[in-house]
Amino acid sequence: MSAAPADPHAQAGRRGRFRTEVTQFLLAGGLAYAVDVAVFNLCLFLGLDAVTSKVVSSVPATIVAYIGNRYWTYRHRERTGVGREYTKFFVFSAIAAAIQAGCVFVSHHLMGFTSPLADNISGNIVGMALGTLFRFWAFRTFVFKHKSPEASPTVDPALSGAGGAQ
């Protein structure tokens, strides 16, 4: 026998919420991205190394991303404590920033592409794409969790007298 089909309205609602989250995540991230690119290029202009510039630019971008994601994208999600949430957000953002900086390192130092254009392509296009995929997965999985449904009390059949020895 097959299981009863899932409620199509519930599935459509989940898909709609997912699409909304993706859209809002990308818009909040777009603002953070603009901050990241501006600070990165300012650091390059001021003479900082490309990898250092990428690390420095990730700090203000992460702050902008946290505000956009916590108070807009995932505002409907459970709040599990600002300290825990903020710490996890910044840990996962640091991993994503390391992915971006790693792309700049490989391009700049291992492959020899040392122009500002190459640094921007490796850090702000390739690295950002990889980092964004990681961030979306990590934020919605570990940082901004779904609200837990109210737990229904479970009754042990042995204690209820329904099928258990008394």
Side-chain angles (χ1 to χ4, degrees):
M1 296 191 158
S2 64
D7 179 8
H9 297 293
Q11 287 178 343
R14 282 191 295 275
R15 280 192 303 271
R17 281 190 302 277
F18 179 78
R19 281 194 294 265
T20 299
E21 273 187 5
V22 168
T23 301
Q24 290 175 329
F25 176 83
L26 291 173
L27 289 171
L31 181 58
Y33 177 74
V35 169
D36 192 339
V37 171
V39 173
F40 177 72
N41 282 290
L42 176 64
C43 290
L44 287 178
F45 177 77
L46 295 174
L48 270 70
D49 174 68
V51 175
T52 303
S53 296
K54 181 45 62 189
V55 172
V56 168
S57 71
S58 71
V59 174
T62 299
I63 292 168
V64 169
Y66 177 79
I67 292 167
N69 282 296
R70 170 69 280 165
Y71 298 104
W72 189 45
T73 306
Y74 299 112
R75 70 183 175 277
H76 62 283
R77 298 261 181 131
E78 182 177 359
R79 294 181 188 254
T80 57
V82 173
R84 184 206 71 75
E85 190 176 273
Y86 199 69
T87 300
K88 283 188 173 188
F89 187 91
F90 277 90
V91 165
F92 288 121
S93 292
I95 293 168
I99 291 169
Q100 289 180 256
C103 289
V104 174
F105 178 83
V106 167
S107 171
H108 194 92
H109 296 289
L110 300 181
M111 298 174 76
F113 297 118
T114 59
S115 72
L117 176 62
D119 292 338
N120 273 281
I121 290 171
S122 62
N124 295 326
I125 296 175
V126 176
M128 183 60 75
L130 295 174
T132 297
L133 290 172
F134 173 78
R135 282 181 186 100
F136 182 72
W137 169 78
F139 293 168
R140 74 186 315 266
T141 303
F142 299 109
V143 181
F144 304 115
K145 296 182 174 199
H146 280 292
K147 290 182 180 177
S148 303
E150 292 299 321
S152 58
T154 56
V155 178
D156 184 351
L159 296 176
S160 69
Q166 293 197 24

